[in-house]
Amino acid sequence: MATVTLKGNPFETVGNLPKVGDKAPDFSVVKDDLSDLNLTDISGRIVLNIFPSIDTDTCAMSVRQFNQKATTLDNTTVVCISKDLPFALARFCGAEGLHKVEVGSAFRSSFGEDYGVTVKTGPLKGLLSRAVVVIDENGKVIYTEQVAETADEPDYDAALNALN
């Protein structure tokens, strides 16, 4: 399990992110049209932007930033994943004009457990911790970041540089 903080207060996740070099665990999340999105449905490289809730400033900023930065890369899909309902994710992206990222709700899947990011203790218990996982076109994990302080944004540049 990983220990991360929220405004300096520690809490634990149910596990750890997959290791660089591992085959990425398959997953199923719910898209904004209520259909399932599985890892195997996505071709090319994948950036998983994982966060607690779209209704917080830092989480919203991460979706905006990945929409702007990562989608300029060829053969790359960015999937923004939280336990928010698909309706909330769709509302946010629609209001913000964000059409270059996929959104996925883990509200009815084991995604958080499979990727080790479900919060186990503390005030965010049951939500997902802030993390980034980058997967190459062969399904191998090439970069991970478990953001140590939940209120902080991920290292966008490091994640995108892993794709080069």
mmCIF file of all heavy atoms in Angstrom, residues 108-136:
data_model
loop_
_atom_site.group_PDB
_atom_site.id
_atom_site.type_symbol
_atom_site.label_atom_id
_atom_site.label_comp_id
_atom_site.label_asym_id
_atom_site.label_seq_id
_atom_site.Cartn_x
_atom_site.Cartn_y
_atom_site.Cartn_z
ATOM 1 N N ARG A 108 -18.446 1.514 -10.665
ATOM 2 C CA ARG A 108 -18.935 0.142 -10.575
ATOM 3 C C ARG A 108 -17.920 -0.879 -11.065
ATOM 4 O O ARG A 108 -18.263 -1.908 -11.626
ATOM 5 C CB ARG A 108 -20.267 -0.017 -11.309
ATOM 6 C CG ARG A 108 -20.207 0.202 -12.797
ATOM 7 C CD ARG A 108 -21.573 -0.033 -13.424
ATOM 8 N NE ARG A 108 -21.514 0.207 -14.858
ATOM 9 C CZ ARG A 108 -22.552 0.510 -15.595
ATOM 10 N NH1 ARG A 108 -23.739 0.602 -15.060
ATOM 11 N NH2 ARG A 108 -22.408 0.717 -16.890
ATOM 12 N N SER A 109 -16.632 -0.568 -10.844
ATOM 13 C CA SER A 109 -15.601 -1.493 -11.291
ATOM 14 C C SER A 109 -14.533 -1.683 -10.228
ATOM 15 O O SER A 109 -14.514 -0.988 -9.215
ATOM 16 C CB SER A 109 -14.954 -0.986 -12.589
ATOM 17 O OG SER A 109 -14.024 0.043 -12.330
ATOM 18 N N SER A 110 -13.638 -2.597 -10.489
ATOM 19 C CA SER A 110 -12.529 -2.869 -9.566
ATOM 20 C C SER A 110 -11.265 -2.117 -9.983
ATOM 21 O O SER A 110 -10.176 -2.443 -9.518
ATOM 22 C CB SER A 110 -12.256 -4.379 -9.512
ATOM 23 O OG SER A 110 -11.851 -4.849 -10.791
ATOM 24 N N PHE A 111 -11.408 -1.095 -10.812
ATOM 25 C CA PHE A 111 -10.246 -0.359 -11.296
ATOM 26 C C PHE A 111 -9.330 0.088 -10.155
ATOM 27 O O PHE A 111 -8.115 -0.102 -10.200
ATOM 28 C CB PHE A 111 -10.671 0.865 -12.120
ATOM 29 C CG PHE A 111 -9.510 1.732 -12.515
ATOM 30 C CD1 PHE A 111 -8.788 1.445 -13.660
ATOM 31 C CD2 PHE A 111 -9.109 2.801 -11.726
ATOM 32 C CE1 PHE A 111 -7.683 2.216 -14.011
ATOM 33 C CE2 PHE A 111 -8.018 3.583 -12.069
ATOM 34 C CZ PHE A 111 -7.302 3.282 -13.211
ATOM 35 N N GLY A 112 -9.892 0.708 -9.130
ATOM 36 C CA GLY A 112 -9.090 1.234 -8.025
ATOM 37 C C GLY A 112 -8.294 0.172 -7.306
ATOM 38 O O GLY A 112 -7.140 0.392 -6.927
ATOM 39 N N GLU A 113 -8.872 -0.990 -7.145
ATOM 40 C CA GLU A 113 -8.168 -2.093 -6.500
ATOM 41 C C GLU A 113 -7.118 -2.678 -7.444
ATOM 42 O O GLU A 113 -6.000 -2.972 -7.031
ATOM 43 C CB GLU A 113 -9.153 -3.176 -6.060
ATOM 44 C CG GLU A 113 -10.039 -2.765 -4.883
ATOM 45 C CD GLU A 113 -11.133 -1.759 -5.247
ATOM 46 O OE1 GLU A 113 -11.555 -1.697 -6.434
ATOM 47 O OE2 GLU A 113 -11.542 -1.013 -4.343
ATOM 48 N N ASP A 114 -7.471 -2.825 -8.711
ATOM 49 C CA ASP A 114 -6.545 -3.405 -9.694
ATOM 50 C C ASP A 114 -5.306 -2.538 -9.899
ATOM 51 O O ASP A 114 -4.224 -3.053 -10.156
ATOM 52 C CB ASP A 114 -7.253 -3.614 -11.030
ATOM 53 C CG ASP A 114 -8.408 -4.595 -10.936
ATOM 54 O OD1 ASP A 114 -8.450 -5.396 -9.974
ATOM 55 O OD2 ASP A 114 -9.290 -4.558 -11.821
ATOM 56 N N TYR A 115 -5.465 -1.225 -9.782
ATOM 57 C CA TYR A 115 -4.346 -0.303 -9.948
ATOM 58 C C TYR A 115 -3.784 0.195 -8.610
ATOM 59 O O TYR A 115 -2.848 0.991 -8.599
ATOM 60 C CB TYR A 115 -4.749 0.871 -10.852
ATOM 61 C CG TYR A 115 -4.618 0.500 -12.313
ATOM 62 C CD1 TYR A 115 -5.539 -0.338 -12.929
ATOM 63 C CD2 TYR A 115 -3.542 0.943 -13.069
ATOM 64 C CE1 TYR A 115 -5.399 -0.719 -14.254
ATOM 65 C CE2 TYR A 115 -3.389 0.577 -14.399
ATOM 66 C CZ TYR A 115 -4.324 -0.261 -14.987
ATOM 67 O OH TYR A 115 -4.169 -0.642 -16.294
ATOM 68 N N GLY A 116 -4.325 -0.284 -7.488
ATOM 69 C CA GLY A 116 -3.810 0.055 -6.170
ATOM 70 C C GLY A 116 -4.089 1.470 -5.720
ATOM 71 O O GLY A 116 -3.402 1.987 -4.835
ATOM 72 N N VAL A 117 -5.085 2.136 -6.286
ATOM 73 C CA VAL A 117 -5.308 3.554 -6.009
ATOM 74 C C VAL A 117 -6.559 3.871 -5.194
ATOM 75 O O VAL A 117 -6.819 5.043 -4.912
ATOM 76 C CB VAL A 117 -5.322 4.381 -7.316
ATOM 77 C CG1 VAL A 117 -3.957 4.372 -7.982
ATOM 78 C CG2 VAL A 117 -6.399 3.890 -8.277
ATOM 79 N N THR A 118 -7.319 2.869 -4.791
ATOM 80 C CA THR A 118 -8.472 3.161 -3.941
ATOM 81 C C THR A 118 -7.962 3.587 -2.573
ATOM 82 O O THR A 118 -7.103 2.935 -1.981
ATOM 83 C CB THR A 118 -9.401 1.940 -3.811
ATOM 84 O OG1 THR A 118 -9.920 1.607 -5.105
ATOM 85 C CG2 THR A 118 -10.566 2.217 -2.868
ATOM 86 N N VAL A 119 -8.508 4.687 -2.082
ATOM 87 C CA VAL A 119 -8.117 5.187 -0.767
ATOM 88 C C VAL A 119 -8.749 4.302 0.303
ATOM 89 O O VAL A 119 -9.955 4.067 0.295
ATOM 90 C CB VAL A 119 -8.535 6.664 -0.590
ATOM 91 C CG1 VAL A 119 -8.208 7.153 0.812
ATOM 92 C CG2 VAL A 119 -7.867 7.535 -1.646
ATOM 93 N N LYS A 120 -7.896 3.811 1.199
ATOM 94 C CA LYS A 120 -8.305 2.846 2.222
ATOM 95 C C LYS A 120 -8.668 3.512 3.555
ATOM 96 O O LYS A 120 -9.498 3.016 4.301
ATOM 97 C CB LYS A 120 -7.147 1.857 2.423
ATOM 98 C CG LYS A 120 -7.377 0.770 3.411
ATOM 99 C CD LYS A 120 -6.163 -0.152 3.402
ATOM 100 C CE LYS A 120 -6.160 -1.099 4.561
ATOM 101 N NZ LYS A 120 -4.971 -1.944 4.555
ATOM 102 N N THR A 121 -8.021 4.629 3.872
ATOM 103 C CA THR A 121 -8.244 5.299 5.152
ATOM 104 C C THR A 121 -8.393 6.797 4.927
ATOM 105 O O THR A 121 -8.052 7.312 3.865
ATOM 106 C CB THR A 121 -7.048 5.056 6.116
ATOM 107 O OG1 THR A 121 -5.857 5.577 5.507
ATOM 108 C CG2 THR A 121 -6.864 3.576 6.418
ATOM 109 N N GLY A 122 -8.886 7.501 5.936
ATOM 110 C CA GLY A 122 -8.954 8.958 5.873
ATOM 111 C C GLY A 122 -10.223 9.480 5.238
ATOM 112 O O GLY A 122 -11.119 8.719 4.871
ATOM 113 N N PRO A 123 -10.295 10.800 5.073
ATOM 114 C CA PRO A 123 -11.527 11.444 4.604
ATOM 115 C C PRO A 123 -11.899 11.126 3.152
ATOM 116 O O PRO A 123 -13.050 11.281 2.775
ATOM 117 C CB PRO A 123 -11.248 12.937 4.781
ATOM 118 C CG PRO A 123 -9.768 13.055 4.778
ATOM 119 C CD PRO A 123 -9.258 11.779 5.386
ATOM 120 N N LEU A 124 -10.937 10.676 2.364
ATOM 121 C CA LEU A 124 -11.232 10.331 0.973
ATOM 122 C C LEU A 124 -11.469 8.832 0.781
ATOM 123 O O LEU A 124 -11.490 8.341 -0.358
ATOM 124 C CB LEU A 124 -10.097 10.801 0.052
ATOM 125 C CG LEU A 124 -9.829 12.304 0.029
ATOM 126 C CD1 LEU A 124 -8.666 12.633 -0.898
ATOM 127 C CD2 LEU A 124 -11.066 13.080 -0.365
ATOM 128 N N LYS A 125 -11.656 8.113 1.871
ATOM 129 C CA LYS A 125 -11.847 6.662 1.826
ATOM 130 C C LYS A 125 -12.895 6.291 0.766
ATOM 131 O O LYS A 125 -13.980 6.865 0.709
ATOM 132 C CB LYS A 125 -12.298 6.161 3.197
ATOM 133 C CG LYS A 125 -12.489 4.672 3.272
ATOM 134 C CD LYS A 125 -12.891 4.250 4.677
ATOM 135 C CE LYS A 125 -13.106 2.756 4.750
ATOM 136 N NZ LYS A 125 -13.486 2.361 6.110
ATOM 137 N N GLY A 126 -12.505 5.352 -0.096
ATOM 138 C CA GLY A 126 -13.402 4.882 -1.146
ATOM 139 C C GLY A 126 -13.196 5.569 -2.486
ATOM 140 O O GLY A 126 -13.591 5.043 -3.518
ATOM 141 N N LEU A 127 -12.586 6.757 -2.484
ATOM 142 C CA LEU A 127 -12.291 7.450 -3.730
ATOM 143 C C LEU A 127 -10.942 6.968 -4.267
ATOM 144 O O LEU A 127 -10.302 6.124 -3.654
ATOM 145 C CB LEU A 127 -12.274 8.970 -3.509
ATOM 146 C CG LEU A 127 -13.607 9.578 -3.067
ATOM 147 C CD1 LEU A 127 -13.450 11.069 -2.814
ATOM 148 C CD2 LEU A 127 -14.698 9.315 -4.093
ATOM 149 N N LEU A 128 -10.512 7.504 -5.381
ATOM 150 C CA LEU A 128 -9.223 7.143 -5.969
ATOM 151 C C LEU A 128 -8.184 8.191 -5.601
ATOM 152 O O LEU A 128 -8.494 9.385 -5.552
ATOM 153 C CB LEU A 128 -9.330 7.037 -7.491
ATOM 154 C CG LEU A 128 -10.397 6.086 -8.032
ATOM 155 C CD1 LEU A 128 -10.386 6.092 -9.565
ATOM 156 C CD2 LEU A 128 -10.217 4.680 -7.499
ATOM 157 N N SER A 129 -6.955 7.743 -5.377
ATOM 158 C CA SER A 129 -5.866 8.688 -5.121
ATOM 159 C C SER A 129 -5.426 9.314 -6.442
ATOM 160 O O SER A 129 -5.738 8.806 -7.516
ATOM 161 C CB SER A 129 -4.689 7.980 -4.446
ATOM 162 O OG SER A 129 -4.129 7.009 -5.303
ATOM 163 N N ARG A 130 -4.689 10.428 -6.346
ATOM 164 C CA ARG A 130 -4.197 11.093 -7.554
ATOM 165 C C ARG A 130 -2.962 10.350 -8.054
ATOM 166 O O ARG A 130 -1.983 10.191 -7.318
ATOM 167 C CB ARG A 130 -3.849 12.550 -7.270
ATOM 168 C CG ARG A 130 -3.442 13.315 -8.510
ATOM 169 C CD ARG A 130 -3.194 14.787 -8.249
ATOM 170 N NE ARG A 130 -4.159 15.400 -7.362
ATOM 171 C CZ ARG A 130 -5.443 15.660 -7.648
ATOM 172 N NH1 ARG A 130 -5.917 15.341 -8.844
ATOM 173 N NH2 ARG A 130 -6.249 16.221 -6.768
ATOM 174 N N ALA A 131 -3.012 9.900 -9.296
ATOM 175 C CA ALA A 131 -1.907 9.128 -9.869
ATOM 176 C C ALA A 131 -1.946 9.243 -11.391
ATOM 177 O O ALA A 131 -2.963 9.628 -11.971
ATOM 178 C CB ALA A 131 -2.011 7.663 -9.460
ATOM 179 N N VAL A 132 -0.823 8.903 -11.999
ATOM 180 C CA VAL A 132 -0.727 8.837 -13.463
ATOM 181 C C VAL A 132 -0.033 7.530 -13.821
ATOM 182 O O VAL A 132 0.965 7.161 -13.200
ATOM 183 C CB VAL A 132 0.072 10.026 -14.040
ATOM 184 C CG1 VAL A 132 0.226 9.892 -15.548
ATOM 185 C CG2 VAL A 132 -0.590 11.349 -13.691
ATOM 186 N N VAL A 133 -0.589 6.836 -14.806
ATOM 187 C CA VAL A 133 0.035 5.626 -15.339
ATOM 188 C C VAL A 133 0.086 5.792 -16.853
ATOM 189 O O VAL A 133 -0.925 6.113 -17.484
ATOM 190 C CB VAL A 133 -0.769 4.359 -14.971
ATOM 191 C CG1 VAL A 133 -0.146 3.119 -15.613
ATOM 192 C CG2 VAL A 133 -0.883 4.191 -13.462
ATOM 193 N N VAL A 134 1.276 5.582 -17.426
ATOM 194 C CA VAL A 134 1.441 5.664 -18.875
ATOM 195 C C VAL A 134 1.754 4.265 -19.388
ATOM 196 O O VAL A 134 2.616 3.567 -18.846
ATOM 197 C CB VAL A 134 2.563 6.655 -19.260
ATOM 198 C CG1 VAL A 134 2.714 6.723 -20.774
ATOM 199 C CG2 VAL A 134 2.271 8.047 -18.693
ATOM 200 N N ILE A 135 1.035 3.877 -20.435
ATOM 201 C CA ILE A 135 1.123 2.525 -20.993
ATOM 202 C C ILE A 135 1.522 2.634 -22.459
ATOM 203 O O ILE A 135 0.946 3.436 -23.209
ATOM 204 C CB ILE A 135 -0.249 1.815 -20.854
ATOM 205 C CG1 ILE A 135 -0.692 1.801 -19.383
ATOM 206 C CG2 ILE A 135 -0.200 0.414 -21.437
ATOM 207 C CD1 ILE A 135 -2.158 1.469 -19.175
ATOM 208 N N ASP A 136 2.490 1.823 -22.871
ATOM 209 C CA ASP A 136 2.920 1.876 -24.270
ATOM 210 C C ASP A 136 1.974 1.090 -25.169
ATOM 211 O O ASP A 136 1.014 0.456 -24.697
ATOM 212 C CB ASP A 136 4.386 1.439 -24.428
ATOM 213 C CG ASP A 136 4.627 -0.056 -24.275
ATOM 214 O OD1 ASP A 136 3.672 -0.867 -24.208
ATOM 215 O OD2 ASP A 136 5.809 -0.439 -24.227
#
